[in-house]
Amino acid sequence: MSKIRRIHSMLIKRQISAAELTKAYIQYSVACNDLLNAYITPCYETALNNALKIDNKIANGKELPVLDGIVYSLKDNICTKGVRTTCASKMLSDFVPPYSASVHESLLHSTLIGKTNMDEFGMGSTTENSYFGRAKNPFDLQCVPGGSSGGSAAAVAADMCVFSVASDTGGSVRQPAGLCGVVGFKPTYGLLSRYGLIAFASSLDTVGIIAQSAEDCNIVFKHLCKYDPKDSTSVRLSSDMTECKKEIKIGVFTGNGIHVNDNVRKALHIAVKTFEDCKIAVETIDIKGIVNSPGIYYIVSSAEAASNLGRFDGLRYGYCNNNYKNFDDMVIRNRTEAFGREVKRRILLGNFVLRCDSYDNYYKKATLLRNSLEKEVCDLFQEYDFILSPVTCHSSYKANEFENDVTGMYASDYYTVFANLCGIPAISVPTHLTEDGKPVSVQLTSGKFKDDKLLKMAELLENHLSLRLNPKIGGDCLGI
Amino acid sequence: MEYKMTIGLETHIELLTNTKIFCSCLTTYGGEPNTQCCPVCLGLPGTLPTLNKKVVEFAVMAGLALNCKINNYSGMYRKNYVYPDLPKAFQITQGPVPICENGYVKIGEKTIRIKRIHIEEDAGKLIYENDSILADYNRAGVPLLEIVTEADFENESQVRDYLEYIRTIARYLEISDCKMQEGSLRCDVNISLKNADCDERGEKCEIKNINSINNICKAIKSEFARQKSILESGEKITSATLKYDEKTNSTTVMRRKETNSDYRYFPEPDLPLIKISREEIETIRETMPELPTARFNRYVETFGVSENAIKSFATIKRAGDFFEALVVLTSDPMMALDVINSCIFRFFETEDEKYDFVLPVQSEEIAEVMNYCISGKLPRQHLKKVILKMLETGKKFSDLYSLQDFEMFDIESTKALAEKTLKDNPLVVEDYKNGKKKAMSSLIGYAMRESNGKADIKVLTEFLEDACLNKQH
């Protein structure tokens, strides 16, 4: 099942060289990207250089770690030194960071093939909010790949890269993975360093991993999971944090059927049946606090985003229109001209909820509700080891579906935001294809720091289902 | 109608940590613009702050010295506003629960209550050149302590004493050098007037950007006059932010109202709560340098020196350290005192030089000379001259003199010298015999010049006086 292990085996057995591997992925990417617009900035030349270094290493008989030479992509909000990092925004369209994110530095021996398309600054669920044009779903070019990590999910689904490292603030890794038929994993908040991840909502942003299997997500996660002194919210994982009970019990949360269509119901059914076949106890549960969770999420994330994006004034870096009268005029011009509509919307909303006359009714109230949701979920995880739920409310939809229905789009995050609000790990796993050939997934979550157990449960599900999803565009670069 | 002032102060001090509050850039003053910056203090996208532990330690020290309660948990907050010297468009500061609160300072008979002390980062500096405004971010991220008092001050004299006290404490604890002209001590003054009869306080006005303690006192007097004249004409005071103009000695409303905005404060999500345990606080208390009052009392008790003699350097830590070093090396506190007051402090020209206390010679070298005096090898009368010369040239004793230069005349030579002096100055001798006591000084002066200072003044004077008396007979 694990593509990473298969490719690694081929490399050490010298069945394929790193250069050949990379060239194959480059050719595939060139063809797919024209159709999918998954990469904002392809990195083909540096990818080949990296591959040559790996081939040298192999030729010298040196030991090859499992991720060396594996082709991967990075969401374009993760800083790469010397390589443009745009957050899919006009504001940063020429921004070249002088430093790299910690997670990128951890992957220096893997082969970076491209920076992926996304919703601007992480705000959106369709990757339509990109200054560089929308990305497409490899299963249906008319449809969206989800967001905000749509480019990453599309690239992995089309096999333009073996895995992608992206970010998940309210579902941005799990939802696009779900719409593109691949696995999307969001670890416990604090386990993967945020240093170098351009901030959207600091208390919710989590570096996540998208791959074709939970097993591959696990391999990348283990490699990236380390304490980082540059990130004050970084947590050191110790063995006593990861312990689990022996008898597993899964709670199924369906939100009383609100917001789900038949395809999603079927996905849940498939998952439940799998667990029951494996003699794992499954019970229906309710999470009362989830009904408020989109509201809490949009208040908290917009407030933090408005603050995080305040720095973009064009003075030190970023877009600058040089026809200004004074500093205030410069700031207004630059931000008006270089931010997209959704970004502006969230900044206005965020600044509103932080105003001294609305703070108590919005931000403070949202924080209190968040705390009680966290407690409710934490209590549930005393009794249940995992919670099974939908990821999205429906399978992929056509572009512009939510053009005039912003709150409708916000409401579609119903099942994913609670994992970010509570800081718990969560993963989306595909279960089947709809009649019109679109993937549907389910979501598994667990208590904090039980990431390894969660990944193992996801592996159990995917091994049992043994799905092979073939997108219309790409899907099998090496033919393995 | 009599009006009384009520004044509250917000004082900022720049901390003397080696590196900035959230990154490892240097905090040194006066570097080339934008050479002490990094992605973190420039707020480049994706960067995160990490708190410098020394800042917390310094804050606790200040809190203990100012009799505050130290909070075991306190949080950082974001204060959001847009200005070119603020790279992230928010300042990381503290919120409702600061690291220290509810302290006090005694200024003579008056007690000034300290409302809170909190930690925050400084912004960069804007430089106005011709038509341009240039931004220098070297200062962005330098750690600050903000000390806020209640409106307990009644006049500018108390304000002066308080600021000098804060400066003394900060310098003693070596947490800040508090040099107003360099910006490491800044003070905003909040002043309102109240009717002497009733207790109701009027609207307060804030005066910012005053660059010296003298100007703060002048500004307060000037603002008092301004508010008084408004109230006397029957008008009300409108709350405003003002600046003090040195040239016209007046307070005027600032053009840009920086304090009008809603700062949209919320807890800083990138930094965990600052935790400090009771044990950690006690450790800091125990390892804190001795405070000026304690040192002052210890000197009086241990060395038996007079309060007046040590007043001049009781508030200067390095002077006290130097004094103690000399005492250890010479066991003569009185001589050490004299050396410091008459030589060392003459060498320094400004208050800041006294505080920096940078000497071109070591305490060992000064002590060497003192020990020569104590052992009789160097006459006491030459000590001051020698030490001043050493300070002037930066050379030690053996590079300037040899002990032979100071060999004194023996008794015979001194007697001969006295006789020669009397013989050469008959008129002066007459004056002395006729009752002009001051004439003796002339005779002594002549003798010292003749002998190149090698005569022992005491012995010489005795001979001269005896000789005059003898001749009288």
Side-chain angles (χ1 to χ4, degrees):
Chain A
M1 208 57 169
S2 165
K3 198 159 207 167
I4 292 175
R5 288 204 200 282
R6 244 177 308 148
I7 295 175
H8 179 249
S9 166
M10 286 163 71
L11 283 171
I12 54 178
K13 286 185 187 151
R14 318 233 176 161
Q15 288 164 356
I16 188 173
S17 72
E20 285 164 341
L21 171 71
T22 306
K23 282 194 190 121
Y25 271 95
I26 290 174
Q27 276 181 338
Y28 213 67
S29 294
V30 168
C32 292
N33 206 42
D34 276 348
L35 296 163
L36 298 175
N37 198 22
Y39 293 155
I40 293 176
T41 304
C43 304
Y44 302 142
E45 201 177 310
T46 43
L48 276 171
N49 288 337
N50 185 288
L52 292 172
K53 287 199 194 114
I54 300 298
D55 279 331
N56 260 338
K57 211 168 163 182
I58 298 172
N60 290 332
K62 295 218 175 90
E63 204 182 311
L64 199 73
V66 72
L67 286 174
D68 273 24
I70 305 292
V71 174
Y72 82 106
S73 63
L74 273 177
K75 186 172 178 182
D76 209 18
N77 59 359
I78 295 176
C79 286
T80 40
K81 180 174 176 178
V83 178
R84 176 174 79 154
T85 303
T86 69
C87 293
S89 178
K90 184 174 181 182
M91 182 61 83
L92 294 179
S93 55
D94 291 318
F95 176 65
V96 179
Y99 77 98
S100 276
S102 297
V103 293
H104 176 50
E105 292 196 324
S106 295
L107 289 167
L108 276 177
H109 299 300
S110 303
T111 301
L112 176 67
I113 193 170
K115 303 296 296 293
T116 64
N117 205 349
M118 52 185 281
D119 280 301
E120 190 180 358
F121 286 108
M123 301 177 193
S125 315
T126 60
T127 311
E128 290 174 289
N129 297 324
S130 167
Y131 177 61
F132 298 91
R134 72 176 184 91
K136 319 253 171 76
N137 190 319
F139 286 85
D140 183 339
L141 293 177
Q142 302 285 321
C143 290
V144 299
S148 60
S149 315
S152 283
V156 171
D159 205 14
M160 292 162 68
C161 61
V162 179
F163 68 91
S164 190
V165 177
S167 72
D168 188 313
T169 304
S172 297
V173 154
R174 294 160 282 154
Q175 183 256 34
L179 297 185
C180 291
V182 287
V183 176
F185 172 55
K186 179 201 97 61
T188 301
Y189 180 87
L191 286 186
L192 265 51
S193 172
R194 280 189 301 124
Y195 187 82
L197 166 64
I198 297 178
F200 159 14
S202 314
S203 73
L204 301 165
D205 290 345
T206 317
V207 173
I209 301 149
I210 299 177
Q212 287 187 0
S213 65
E215 200 181 341
D216 279 350
C217 284
N218 201 344
I219 295 170
V220 180
F221 167 68
K222 291 245 165 32
H223 183 80
L224 292 179
C225 179
K226 54 172 110 109
Y227 170 72
D228 185 4
K230 292 192 241 180
D231 174 356
S232 299
T233 57
S234 177
V235 177
R236 231 186 271 268
L237 193 59
S238 60
S239 54
D240 58 315
M241 291 152 114
T242 61
E243 274 164 27
C244 255
K245 305 198 313 286
K246 284 205 173 76
E247 287 266 327
I248 295 176
K249 200 154 80 161
I250 299 182
V252 184
F253 173 68
T254 59
N256 296 321
I258 302 170
H259 305 305
V260 297
N261 67 11
D262 289 332
N263 281 312
V264 174
R265 259 184 273 269
K266 181 175 173 189
L268 277 175
H269 180 77
I270 292 173
V272 168
K273 182 148 189 321
T274 305
F275 293 130
E276 283 173 344
D277 287 348
C278 297
K279 307 273 189 276
I280 295 170
V282 180
E283 275 173 33
T284 310
I285 62 165
D286 187 25
I287 312 177
K288 291 188 177 49
I290 290 218
V291 73
N292 288 322
S293 61
I296 301 170
Y297 172 77
Y298 278 98
I299 288 172
V300 172
S301 67
S302 301
E304 293 181 6
S307 177
N308 283 326
L309 268 61
R311 70 193 69 200
F312 299 112
D313 53 22
L315 174 61
R316 291 163 296 282
Y317 50 84
Y319 175 87
C320 187
N321 176 339
N322 287 312
N323 299 320
Y324 53 83
K325 302 189 206 94
N326 53 46
F327 177 70
D328 286 350
D329 183 47
M330 177 185 93
V331 175
I332 291 170
R333 266 177 215 272
N334 291 340
R335 291 164 71 88
T336 306
E337 290 168 23
F339 280 150
R341 287 195 69 180
E342 184 61 31
V343 169
K344 286 178 181 155
R345 187 177 286 132
R346 307 257 187 129
I347 291 174
L348 289 169
L349 175 57
N351 281 329
F352 174 75
V353 302
L354 287 175
R355 279 168 49 137
C356 49
D357 52 358
S358 14
Y359 185 87
D360 284 353
N361 284 333
Y362 291 94
Y363 189 82
K364 187 166 173 196
K365 199 177 259 184
T367 307
L368 291 170
L369 285 169
R370 180 181 181 176
N371 291 340
S372 67
L373 173 64
E374 261 192 89
K375 181 165 190 315
E376 185 186 359
V377 167
C378 190
D379 287 345
L380 274 168
F381 282 123
Q382 298 300 317
E383 202 190 329
Y384 300 91
D385 300 274
F386 306 100
I387 292 174
L388 172 70
S389 71
V391 184
T392 54
C393 303
H394 27 58
S395 56
S396 182
Y397 38 86
K398 292 212 170 13
N400 302 321
E401 172 90 5
F402 287 105
E403 194 172 15
N404 297 315
D405 185 13
V406 173
T407 45
M409 168 134 75
Y410 290 178
S412 68
D413 294 329
Y414 193 78
Y415 290 100
T416 50
V417 296
F418 84 97
N420 301 82
L421 292 171
C422 300
I424 57 177
I427 189 166
S428 63
V429 180
T431 51
H432 69 286
L433 282 177
T434 62
E435 271 167 14
D436 48 348
K438 292 198 255 172
V440 194
S441 298
V442 290
Q443 173 178 249
L444 277 170
T445 54
S446 75
K448 274 193 184 181
F449 306 116
K450 317 288 187 209
D451 301 59
D452 188 47
K453 302 287 187 298
L454 178 66
L455 284 158
K456 285 274 178 313
M457 186 55 57
E459 283 177 44
L460 182 142
L461 179 59
E462 76 183 357
N463 287 337
H464 208 87
L465 295 176
S466 276
L467 277 182
R468 174 89 196 196
L469 297 180
N470 296 311
K472 293 216 173 64
I473 308 294
D476 195 1
C477 172
L478 301 174
I480 48 170
Chain B
M1 179 106 36
E2 212 194 299
Y3 289 101
K4 287 195 169 193
M5 284 195 270
T6 55
I7 304 169
L9 296 181
E10 279 166 27
T11 309
H12 287 90
I13 63 176
E14 275 182 21
L15 296 180
L16 283 174
T17 52
N18 289 327
T19 57
K20 293 185 178 181
I21 188 174
F22 297 125
C23 66
S24 45
C25 290
L26 293 178
T27 54
T28 358
Y29 176 77
E32 278 294 297
N34 294 316
T35 54
Q36 287 164 225
C37 309
C38 72
V40 175
C41 53
L42 284 172
L44 291 196
T47 54
L48 295 171
T50 45
L51 182 59
N52 179 342
K53 288 198 192 76
K54 253 298 187 266
V55 175
V56 177
E57 198 185 304
F58 282 8
V60 173
M61 276 165 58
L64 292 172
L66 298 177
N67 307 296
C68 294
K69 162 176 174 256
I70 314 291
N71 286 319
N72 300 111
Y73 293 91
S74 63
M76 304 304 293
Y77 266 60
R78 289 192 188 179
K79 177 180 181 182
N80 298 281
Y81 64 96
V82 179
Y83 206 61
D85 65 3
L86 197 66
K88 298 188 295 291
F90 59 85
Q91 176 198 34
I92 301 179
T93 174
Q94 291 201 281
V97 180
I99 184 155
C100 312
E101 54 190 349
N102 300 333
Y104 63 87
V105 160
K106 273 192 149 50
I107 309 286
E109 289 301 307
K110 179 84 186 161
T111 302
I112 303 292
R113 292 170 296 163
I114 306 270
K115 191 165 167 179
R116 53 186 277 149
I117 303 178
H118 71 248
I119 293 169
E120 59 185 29
E121 58 175 344
D122 209 346
K125 222 189 289 194
L126 294 182
I127 298 159
Y128 296 85
E129 212 171 83
N130 305 321
D131 278 336
S132 329
I133 306 176
L134 305 169
D136 173 13
Y137 296 106
N138 282 356
R139 203 183 65 180
V142 165
L144 298 175
L145 282 188
E146 179 172 332
I147 305 171
V148 183
T149 70
E150 301 285 3
D152 289 345
F153 295 95
E154 295 159 327
N155 57 53
E156 69 275 4
S157 166
Q158 289 172 354
V159 168
R160 173 189 292 279
D161 289 343
Y162 168 83
L163 288 173
E164 287 177 355
Y165 184 74
I166 296 289
R167 182 168 63 187
T168 302
I169 296 285
R171 287 178 173 183
Y172 241 83
L173 296 174
E174 299 194 296
I175 61 176
S176 174
D177 59 20
C178 284
K179 293 182 179 171
M180 269 191 109
Q181 69 278 23
E182 285 179 11
S184 53
L185 169 67
R186 294 168 230 166
C187 189
D188 296 334
V189 182
N190 290 299
I191 163 172
S192 66
L193 263 53
K194 65 179 182 186
N195 193 315
D197 299 325
C198 70
D199 240 356
E200 221 184 285
R201 230 185 283 158
E203 278 295 314
K204 69 171 185 222
C205 289
E206 185 182 16
I207 320 174
K208 291 171 85 83
N209 295 345
I210 315 172
N211 61 10
S212 71
I213 296 184
N214 283 335
N215 281 342
I216 286 178
C217 293
K218 287 191 195 153
I220 289 173
K221 289 218 276 275
S222 162
E223 178 61 10
F224 175 71
R226 186 188 80 94
Q227 287 195 18
K228 182 168 174 222
S229 81
I230 292 176
L231 290 173
E232 277 174 346
S233 68
E235 306 276 317
K236 281 204 153 95
I237 307 283
T238 20
S239 188
T241 306
L242 302 114
K243 63 180 198 289
Y244 173 69
D245 187 336
E246 216 177 331
K247 295 195 190 86
T248 59
N249 188 23
S250 61
T251 45
T252 50
V253 177
M254 275 178 152
R255 262 177 303 142
R256 188 191 162 98
K257 288 201 170 184
E258 286 156 19
T259 55
N260 233 2
S261 5
D262 177 354
Y263 293 112
R264 290 169 270 119
Y265 284 95
F266 71 98
E268 169 58 78
D270 289 329
L271 291 168
L273 288 179
I274 299 177
K275 294 184 202 139
I276 185 140
S277 68
R278 201 158 296 183
E279 290 79 36
E280 285 169 312
I281 297 171
E282 283 317 301
T283 309
I284 293 173
R285 194 198 298 271
E286 278 156 33
T287 53
M288 247 163 79
E290 180 187 40
L291 287 177
T293 329
R295 170 168 271 193
F296 190 89
N297 292 335
R298 180 167 67 84
Y299 285 176
V300 171
E301 274 172 40
T302 326
F303 301 122
V305 293
S306 80
E307 284 185 17
N308 260 337
I310 51 170
K311 211 166 52 169
S312 63
F313 67 87
T315 55
I316 303 171
K317 183 167 187 293
R318 289 179 201 159
D321 293 344
F322 194 79
F323 167 70
E324 290 190 46
L326 290 181
V327 170
V328 164
L329 292 165
T330 64
S331 305
D332 192 338
M334 300 311 262
M335 189 188 284
L337 255 186
D338 188 33
V339 164
I340 290 184
N341 280 325
S342 64
C343 302
I344 310 286
F345 274 0
R346 262 188 55 174
F347 173 71
F348 294 126
E349 284 172 357
T350 64
E351 283 304 308
D352 279 348
E353 280 182 9
K354 280 189 193 168
Y355 157 69
D356 286 334
F357 209 83
V358 175
L359 290 173
V361 291
Q362 309 275 16
S363 56
E364 289 84 5
E365 287 157 2
I366 304 279
E368 181 189 30
V369 180
M370 287 168 67
N371 280 325
Y372 287 151
C373 278
I374 292 166
S375 63
K377 292 197 189 116
L378 175 69
R380 185 73 166 81
Q381 69 216 45
H382 296 305
L383 180 63
K384 182 169 162 180
K385 179 180 80 179
V386 167
I387 291 182
L388 284 173
K389 189 83 181 174
M390 286 166 70
L391 292 173
E392 191 194 321
T393 60
K395 296 201 166 119
K396 56 184 200 264
F397 181 85
S398 54
D399 291 340
L400 291 166
Y401 310 99
S402 83
L403 283 171
Q404 280 173 329
D405 299 338
F406 296 100
E407 264 167 17
M408 301 300 274
F409 279 10
D410 56 19
I411 302 285
E412 285 305 311
S413 314
T414 310
K415 192 172 176 195
L417 175 67
E419 284 169 4
K420 181 174 195 294
T421 303
L422 294 170
K423 192 167 143 215
D424 290 349
N425 299 280
L427 293 169
V428 185
V429 175
E430 276 303 309
D431 284 343
Y432 183 71
K433 284 199 218 172
N434 290 334
K436 270 193 184 161
K437 295 289 179 211
K438 282 192 184 166
M440 180 52 63
S441 310
S442 300
L443 293 172
I444 292 172
Y446 180 85
M448 292 307 279
R449 283 191 297 277
E450 280 293 304
S451 66
N452 285 326
K454 289 193 184 202
D456 184 322
I457 286 190
K458 253 181 88 180
V459 175
L460 173 71
T461 312
E462 269 179 40
F463 275 133
L464 285 171
E465 284 177 352
D466 284 347
C468 285
L469 292 169
N470 283 341
K471 287 216 166 153
Q472 214 165 10
H473 288 324

